[in-house]
Amino acid sequence: MSKTRKTFAMLLALVTAVSVSACSADRGNEPAKEAKTASTDPAAPAGNPDEPGWKSDTKPITFDWYLNFSWFPNKWGVDPTSQYVTKKTGVNINFIVPAGNENEKLNTMIASGKLPDFITLGWYEDAVKKMIEGGMVLPLDELAKQYDPYFFKVTDPAKTTWYTQKDGHFYGYPNASSSPQDYKKYGENFVSNQTFMVRKDMYEALGKPDMRTPEGFLKALQAAKEKFPSVNGQPLIPLGLSEFGDTGNYSLFDANQNSSMLANFLAIPYEKDGKLYDRYTDPEFVKWLKTFRQANELGLLAKDIFIDKRPQMEEKIAQGRYFAMLFQRSDMANQNISLYQKDPNTAYIAIDGPANAKQDPPTLAGPGIAGWTVTLISKDVKDKARAIKFLSYLISEEGNKDLFLGEKGVSYDTIDGKDQFKPEALDLLNKDRSAFDKKYGSSHTFWMLMDTNMSLKWAPPSVDPIKQPEAWTRGKTKSFSQYDNIVPTGNSVEGIANTKIAQLWGKALPKLLLAKSDAEFDQLFDKFQKDRQAGGWEKVRAYQQKEFEANTQKIAQFAK
């Protein structure tokens, strides 16, 4: 579980490293409403299961595609790669990206009863279940049977089974997903997105302090603030975290995702003896939350971290204003590349971060079968056949290669017998990801259906500043797939209870960090636990345990 997800929003440079983190939580309790299948069209030609369906019709068509990530900056059709795909398939894309709060935008669309042709969002989002239960999206298996049976040749049965609902249909397909078979095949290459990053020059100037213990952690933050009070005239921010939201903070604990980078750094188990463990009341976790509280008492938590959103954080990372960050490396990769280009010593590097009292190695979230996002097709889609055929193309090796390498002769060529980026394209990719996206549009600038395992065969070796943080996670990465999709969502009793509890946590977390004493922290934490108990916590846990056990059985079946 990881990743991601809201942060995670992860990603432009994640793809440079061809890795991603998965994130947690989603699965309904109630049977979905009767599936709205693709309407039977007797005149529709039966597809050839051995031939890519998109080749049968390449007339121009434009699909509206909603991406539930306000930070996504790219437009389709302005770069050679997307132009090449449109020329090849006939499909043009009009991306719709929320200007502000993603949930508000998506909920407004759902309430209107009409959705764009394609929808891509984190698999963990409550809206996935709402759209399925509301009959607003089409079952992909039915569309594929009717219009493009080739779809079943390019999709992974483990992934389609994972996303199959209680009505027997699956409505979304993931990107950046890794099944148990993928772990067997590619596992030694897997890395995590979860890192503790420090600014290299500052860290070395402080004598490379050990930040694994609460005492060492606070001492290093204090020393950084004293030695480097400002950066280019702006106050130093001693510690950076992911953004705070309605349900918590992914660096510390996001209740909606049931995910915590901090808990993974502390190697706190998800289960004990087959029973889900309440990681977030674990004494080690509470001790470190109190350490963050103490950091605030010492003036080491800047107010910025409680209010900044992704764009503000990216600006401050690019300015090198953070000393340390418990953060997803891909989410800061673009800015880190810029810092590195100006002066390698000002870039951020990964080091050993918070650890438990035994100083066990961290257990960082690697790729999971749930992936990062899922893509669905709306019941309002303007052309069902073209939509499922284009989805098949994007999922296929051909589509992944086109979107990773781009057009031959433009961004890549066959060099020394291998298809790889041209030297000038690779140079720009390593120096300025944003400029690369605009000039070439490849290396999964458009990541909606990227297969990060398939891409390994074309991926160039990582270079610093991407290489060092990526390598630091190798060997510390675990699959937490069995804990994905276990958070209840939607209008079930458990789903309503979980939403309420997650929001209670979202309100409690900043108060805990801003508490004036450990005694006040204890009072607030005790109140939260009582409130969640009254809010239906036992029902939520029973649901999660049942789904976790079902997931464990599924994964055992996939692994055979």
Side-chain angles (χ1 to χ4, degrees), residues 437-452:
D437 289 349
K438 292 178 177 65
K439 183 167 183 178
Y440 295 106
S442 47
S443 189
H444 286 320
T445 296
F446 305 102
W447 37 255
M448 300 89 74
L449 274 307
M450 67 178 178
D451 186 322
T452 46

Side-chain angles (χ1 to χ4, degrees), residues 383-525:
D383 188 322
K384 295 171 184 173
R386 292 293 295 280
I388 191 65
K389 289 173 183 178
F390 188 58
L391 197 66
S392 295
Y393 160 74
L394 293 174
I395 293 167
S396 72
E397 180 167 340
E398 180 179 11
N400 266 271
K401 183 177 181 181
D402 287 346
L403 285 172
F404 189 82
L405 288 177
E407 183 175 9
K408 189 168 187 179
V410 179
S411 49
Y412 90 95
D413 242 321
T414 305
I415 303 169
D416 298 329
K418 180 185 176 183
D419 289 343
Q420 56 186 297
F421 287 119
K422 296 173 74 172
E424 61 270 26
L426 181 58
D427 184 60
L428 185 60
L429 176 64
N430 287 331
K431 287 182 176 176
D432 190 335
R433 176 71 213 211
S434 296
F436 175 90
D437 289 349
K438 292 178 177 65
K439 183 167 183 178
Y440 295 106
S442 47
S443 189
H444 286 320
T445 296
F446 305 102
W447 37 255
M448 300 89 74
L449 274 307
M450 67 178 178
D451 186 322
T452 46
N453 298 320
M454 196 183 289
S455 302
L456 289 168
K457 69 182 77 171
W458 311 302
S462 295
V463 298
D464 283 331
I466 300 295
K467 181 179 179 180
Q468 189 274 339
E470 177 187 277
W472 181 86
T473 71
R474 195 168 277 117
K476 305 176 180 77
T477 300
K478 311 289 182 186
S479 171
F480 295 137
S481 290
Q482 63 269 42
Y483 314 112
D484 288 347
N485 292 67
I486 67 170
V487 174
T489 60
N491 294 321
S492 65
V493 172
E494 298 89 350
I496 293 169
N498 184 73
T499 299
K500 180 181 179 181
I501 292 167
Q503 290 171 348
L504 285 171
W505 174 251
K507 291 185 175 73
L509 179 58
K511 292 178 182 177
L512 291 169
L513 301 185
L514 296 170
K516 291 183 171 54
S517 65
D518 280 354
E520 184 183 343
F521 178 104
D522 289 339
Q523 290 173 355
L524 290 166
F525 197 56

Side-chain angles (χ1 to χ4, degrees), residues 41-192:
D41 179 3
N48 182 348
D50 298 317
E51 180 72 16
W54 67 265
K55 292 184 177 181
S56 64
D57 186 354
T58 57
K59 295 189 297 293
I61 186 171
T62 298
F63 285 117
D64 293 324
W65 195 313
Y66 177 75
L67 293 174
N68 198 44
F69 300 93
S70 60
W71 51 262
F72 183 77
N74 300 301
K75 303 289 184 185
W76 187 271
V78 300
D79 60 87
T81 296
S82 57
Q83 291 168 1
Y84 170 62
V85 171
T86 294
K87 181 180 176 183
K88 179 175 183 174
T89 65
V91 176
N92 183 43
I93 296 172
N94 171 45
F95 283 124
I96 300 168
V97 178
N101 185 291
E102 288 95 346
N103 288 336
E104 287 179 9
K105 173 72 173 175
L106 191 52
N107 286 334
T108 299
M109 289 196 305
I110 291 172
S112 76
K114 189 167 177 61
L115 297 173
D117 302 301
F118 289 89
I119 307 99
T120 295
L121 71 167
W123 60 260
Y124 41 84
E125 298 288 356
D126 191 48
V128 175
K129 186 172 174 63
K130 286 181 183 175
M131 289 186 288
I132 293 171
E133 288 190 341
M136 301 184 73
V137 289
L138 298 172
L140 300 183
D141 50 311
E142 291 289 332
L143 287 173
K145 285 174 189 172
Q146 183 170 0
Y147 298 111
D148 187 23
Y150 188 74
F151 177 87
F152 297 108
K153 275 198 179 294
V154 300
T155 50
D156 184 332
K159 296 167 189 176
T160 57
T161 300
W162 183 261
Y163 277 103
T164 295
Q165 303 295 311
K166 290 179 170 61
D167 64 1
H169 298 288
F170 60 90
Y171 296 79
Y173 197 80
N175 72 354
S177 166
S178 292
S179 67
Q181 294 300 330
D182 289 329
Y183 263 83
K184 289 180 181 177
K185 188 173 180 180
Y186 305 105
E188 65 183 23
N189 295 310
F190 284 166
V191 290
S192 178

